[in-house]
Each structure stands twice: as C-alpha cells, then as structure tokens.
Amino acid sequence: MKERAKSHRAERVAERVREELMAILLSGALHGTSLSEVTVATVRMTPDLRVAHIYVGPGLQGNSQEEEQRLLDELKRKGSWLRKRLAGRLGLRYVPELRFVWDSEAERINRVEHLLNDVHSTTEDG
C-alpha cells in the first residue's frame, strides 16, 4: 500500500513540475533564448523525487537534429536557473535534479497534428 502512495505522489509531483516548467518557458522569463519553442511533453520522477526526467519536444514547428541538440544544450545550461525558479513554485523539501531528454514521440505527434491541420484547411478551401 505504501508503494502505491509513493507512486501516486511521484505522478502528482511530475505533473506539477511539467505545468510549472511550461509556465516558466512560456512566460518569456528566459530572455534571449528560443526555449519558448520547446514543449514539455512528459516528466517522470524517480520514486524518491530527487530526479526529474523531463521529456521535451518541438513547439509549433518541427526541428532539425542540430536544432534539437541546440535546444537540449540550452535547457541543460539553464537547468540550475530553472531549478531555482521551480523551488519557489513547488514548495518541496528537495527540488529535483532536472535531466532533459528529447522526446521524438512528441515530435511525431506534432507532425501528425500539423498534417491533419493541412488536410482540414485544404478540404475547407476545396
């Protein structure tokens, strides 16, 4: 029973981390970066809540592999700054270490949505 409670807590914390990170990225608080182009798709927490694996993907448009790597590098450089901002928002005893991973699944979903929008707009025009 205790293991199940830990699992639910990790899920709740992960969703809260995802929401707060998206809010920070979309707020434009990171001046001079292109990180507002990134979507936080999923966050997975370790059971002890010490590490957050953050799966990010493209924003509205797809990215080349070089662009993906540049965005990941930028996220890693800003990781400690983002962690400090999360500390004030989460109210946890320990703010998790942030580990960013490019999520190609989010990219595929984004591409399919873009194609569906194109099909929808061409059927409206025709």
Side-chain angles (χ1 to χ4, degrees), residues 67-101:
E67 183 69 9
E68 292 170 12
Q69 190 57 52
R70 188 187 65 74
L71 290 170
L72 264 181
D73 291 343
E74 198 167 351
L75 280 167
K76 289 174 183 175
R77 276 194 309 275
K78 300 291 184 180
S80 62
W81 186 89
L82 289 167
R83 192 173 181 207
K84 287 177 189 172
R85 296 305 166 275
L86 283 174
R89 293 171 172 239
L90 294 176
L92 295 173
R93 180 177 293 170
Y94 301 103
V95 179
E97 175 188 338
L98 307 179
R99 295 185 185 166
F100 296 97
V101 180

Side-chain angles (χ1 to χ4, degrees), residues 1-12 47-48:
M1 182 68 178
K2 199 172 212 173
E3 193 65 36
R4 179 187 258 170
K6 280 186 177 182
S7 172
H8 287 297
R9 181 157 190 247
E11 290 172 9
R12 286 192 315 271
D48 63 0

Side-chain angles (χ1 to χ4, degrees), residues 17-94:
V17 168
R18 189 191 71 75
E19 290 171 358
E20 295 298 340
L21 268 177
M22 280 303 300
I24 292 168
L25 293 174
L26 291 173
S27 73
L30 290 164
H31 303 292
T33 69
S34 55
L35 293 178
S36 60
E37 301 171 15
V38 173
T39 300
V40 179
T42 308
V43 175
R44 293 210 170 86
M45 302 295 298
T46 56
D48 63 0
L49 305 179
R50 297 285 181 133
V51 179
H53 297 276
I54 301 162
Y55 295 85
V56 297
L60 297 175
Q61 70 280 355
N63 296 319
S64 67
Q65 283 187 325
E66 295 83 24
E67 183 69 9
E68 292 170 12
Q69 190 57 52
R70 188 187 65 74
L71 290 170
L72 264 181
D73 291 343
E74 198 167 351
L75 280 167
K76 289 174 183 175
R77 276 194 309 275
K78 300 291 184 180
S80 62
W81 186 89
L82 289 167
R83 192 173 181 207
K84 287 177 189 172
R85 296 305 166 275
L86 283 174
R89 293 171 172 239
L90 294 176
L92 295 173
R93 180 177 293 170
Y94 301 103

